[in-house]
Amino acid sequence: QDDGMMAAAAQFMNALQGGTNNPFAAMGAKAAVDFRELRALLPAELGGLRRTNASGRKTGAFGVNVAEATGEYGESDGARLEVKITDLGAMGPAAGMANFGWMATEMDSEGDEGYERTTDYQGRKGLEEYRTIDKSGSAKLMVAGRFMVEVSGNNIEPAQLKAAVESIDLGALERLGNRPQIE
């Protein structure tokens, strides 16, 4: 296994030195989708809160482009939610390994101050964290092995957090990730 990791690291370094081509291309990386397509998937309402802003952008370095869309919901003085959808497809299989150890584990801890647990969103594994003290929480999940969906909020209830994640069309996101590549 160590030899395989060393070989992958060497291949990655060679690709980096090779110019602007995506160093993950040899590992099955996909070109990032247009951030406008991700922005179009931000619901008008999330967890009972109206969308107040929707933005998107594409960033890149060394030929690795990342597209993301962010939606903000609610008013500044009340309940607020934010959803961020990031396309990590350009990182290939490394996208799933980056820092998502929770995808391979089961977690469930709870105390007076809140909880942290792995959970299920429409058949997709996610991680949910909630702090009772300030009624803030976050949920994240990976869709189609490339899209990181993160929902975070303040002055919200746990049920609102879960409802917010489930109001995002995860099926449409999956279809977007699995459609044939057009170079």
Side-chain angles (χ1 to χ4, degrees):
Q1 167 143 8
D2 285 348
D3 290 346
M5 289 296 282
M6 290 303 290
Q11 182 182 20
F12 178 66
M13 290 313 291
N14 287 341
L16 274 181
Q17 291 157 2
T20 57
N21 292 340
N22 180 348
F24 293 106
M27 299 163 68
K30 296 181 172 181
V33 299
D34 188 329
F35 71 81
R36 291 166 187 87
E37 293 185 89
L38 297 180
R39 197 176 67 197
L41 290 174
L42 298 171
E45 198 175 277
L46 197 69
L49 302 175
R50 201 170 48 81
R51 191 176 72 209
T52 55
N53 189 33
S55 60
R57 65 184 185 151
K58 180 170 128 181
T59 56
F62 302 110
V64 180
N65 288 315
V66 174
E68 67 178 37
T70 305
E72 295 169 27
Y73 300 80
E75 301 305 325
S76 55
D77 56 349
R80 290 190 47 75
L81 283 164
E82 182 182 281
V83 62
K84 185 194 247 182
I85 304 172
T86 309
D87 181 4
L88 300 170
M91 291 175 66
M97 302 172 341
N99 50 20
F100 316 128
W102 52 267
M103 290 177 67
T105 58
E106 292 293 327
M107 265 192 284
D108 192 2
S109 66
E110 197 168 317
D112 290 342
E113 292 185 3
Y115 65 82
E116 181 178 23
R117 62 175 158 245
T118 46
T119 186
D120 187 270
Y121 297 105
Q122 301 167 16
R124 297 164 185 89
K125 189 171 183 178
L127 176 69
E128 205 172 274
E129 298 172 291
Y130 187 80
R131 283 173 31 106
T132 325
I133 193 161
D134 57 2
K135 294 176 76 174
S136 69
S138 67
K140 53 183 136 192
L141 67 152
M142 199 76 165
V143 176
R146 68 183 282 181
F147 297 110
M148 174 56 87
V149 177
E150 298 172 89
V151 176
S152 56
N154 293 309
N155 297 317
I156 55 163
E157 297 300 327
Q160 206 171 3
L161 183 63
K162 195 160 181 79
V165 176
E166 291 180 345
S167 62
I168 298 165
D169 191 342
L170 302 176
L173 194 55
E174 194 140 305
R175 288 189 294 281
L176 185 60
N178 291 328
R179 97 183 154 197
Q181 284 289 111
I182 302 156
E183 287 302 326

